[in-house]
Amino acid sequence: MTDIADSAFRHPERHIRLDTILRLRWLAALGQLAAIFVVSQGLEFDVPVVPCVVIIGLSALLNLALQIAFNPMQRLEPRHAASLLALNIIELAALLYLTGGLENPFSFLFLAPVLISATALPVRLTVTLGLLAVACATVLVFVHQPLPWDSDEPLMLPPIYLVGVWISIVLAIGVTGLYSFQVTEEARKLSDALAATELVLAREQHLTQLDGLAAAAAHELGTPLSTIVLVSRELEKTLADNPFAAGDIKTLREQAQRCRDILSKITQLSSTGAPFDRMKLSTLIEEAVAPHRDFGVAIKIRIAVTGSREPVGSRNPAILYGVGNILENAVDFARKEVEVNAWWNDDTVEIMISDDGPGFAPEILKRIGEPYLSRRRAGDDAPSERSGLGLGVFIARTLLERTGARVSFSNHAFPDHGAVVQIAWPRARFEASENNGVPTS
């Protein structure tokens, strides 16, 4: 099967655009100004407007300077993005210091920069920003200006309430930051694995197209070669009295005839494997099994002949790759043999691949088909001795499901052992003339 380099799809560093950071900072500045205006003018509370506006103004000036000095569309290095998010935390801490510290209900905005970092920056930088936010929240418990409130009825919050607010902020930063990171990482893994799937499918489609190109080339070259053979034969008769020229002409004719024979073989090979040829289910299974017969594991094929005619479908690279990949895994883990069973009726076409190996581990069986989930562990003595990326089953399942198949994974019932993979299509979908699941170009 096709080998895929891990570095081609997984990127250790994640980058965020400067424009994204600047938009978030502008949004924060506008929100802060609106909050100050509502509290000071609408509620008529005593707010230190001038110091707050100065802090917000400095943030706005920094935004303007960054927009002028740099291309907003450029992607920031993780440390630079983290620096701007850290400035957001410090700016918020300064505003909260002037407006009541953790007594201010907007103190929970400490979460925002940490959540952004969790979805876009490496773990070490997210942890650093989280610690900075916790440190700022801790200082604000003890050092802050009074909360803006009605001077006739001052608000007095007990210390235990402030401790509770501090604990809730710390827990929210930790829990929501971890949750956001996990969700984003899963989405990134899925995106990388789907990209790998598209690459594999494109390669398989390219290989099948080579058959058609070979047939076309053989057909086009056949006519000029026939002409060369015919002319050389006539020249050989004409120059029969000249042994030197006749010998050269004979050699030319023989070599041209040899080229015709080679092209004829290519045409015969391609005629049975052109990309859009139809093939019976048994032929499809044999073609998928053939590359895996010489690895010391017996592969037994059992086809249940039923009353209805044998299904005939397109020679679909997605099906060939998917079935072949599952077969490869079965051969890798089998002890002595792999069984491929097939049957059909008027509604369903099914292939079942099983081996006599250890089977799927319970923790893997629950998550089988996820990207970057490998059945092999470090130190396993699998016949192939390859660690793999855990993408094989995901790619195979994705490609097969695109063709309309339903893929299920299980183990043999005790006392038997080994893995079992069932692939079932609606017969109408399997026999569809279009090459389902294969991108065309």
Side-chain angles (χ1 to χ4, degrees), residues 187-251:
R188 186 175 293 108
K189 285 182 178 180
L190 183 61
S191 176
D192 292 343
L194 287 173
T197 304
E198 294 292 345
L199 177 60
V200 167
L201 190 53
R203 287 178 178 174
E204 293 297 311
Q205 178 72 357
H206 178 68
L207 289 176
T208 58
Q209 288 174 343
L210 290 180
D211 288 342
L213 293 174
H219 177 73
E220 294 296 328
L221 291 174
T223 300
L225 284 173
S226 298
T227 304
I228 293 173
V229 171
L230 179 61
V231 172
S232 60
R233 184 180 292 114
E234 294 298 325
L235 287 175
E236 187 178 356
K237 294 178 181 179
T238 304
L239 300 175
D241 297 336
N242 188 340
F244 297 102
D248 292 338
I249 295 298
K250 181 180 179 181
T251 301

Side-chain angles (χ1 to χ4, degrees), residues 91-115:
E91 177 198 357
L92 179 61
L95 291 173
L96 291 175
Y97 165 78
L98 296 171
T99 56
L102 294 192
E103 296 177 0
N104 192 320
F106 290 101
S107 58
F108 278 90
L109 290 176
F110 276 127
L111 292 174
V114 179
L115 291 180

Side-chain angles (χ1 to χ4, degrees), residues 296-298 328-338 354-358 375 383:
V297 175
E328 180 182 14
N329 277 316
V331 170
D332 282 349
F333 288 93
R335 291 190 173 94
K336 294 182 179 179
E337 69 176 24
V338 171
S354 60
D355 61 64
D356 60 353
R375 190 177 166 195

Side-chain angles (χ1 to χ4, degrees), residues 272 277-293 301 303 310-324 327 340-342 344 349-353 400 403 423 425 429-432 435-436:
T272 60
D277 272 359
R278 312 287 289 170
M279 61 193 315
K280 294 182 178 180
L281 178 64
S282 56
T283 306
L284 182 150
I285 293 174
E286 186 58 42
E287 184 167 340
V289 167
H292 309 289
R293 287 195 179 278
I301 300 176
I303 298 178
E310 184 175 356
V312 179
S314 299
R315 186 180 182 274
N316 193 330
I319 296 178
L320 290 172
Y321 182 91
V323 174
L327 270 167
V340 181
N341 297 289
W344 62 85
V349 177
E350 182 171 318
I351 299 175
M352 185 172 69
I353 301 171
L400 289 170
T403 67
I423 310 166
W425 291 267
R429 185 70 181 270
F430 181 85
E431 293 186 321
N435 219 10
N436 295 308

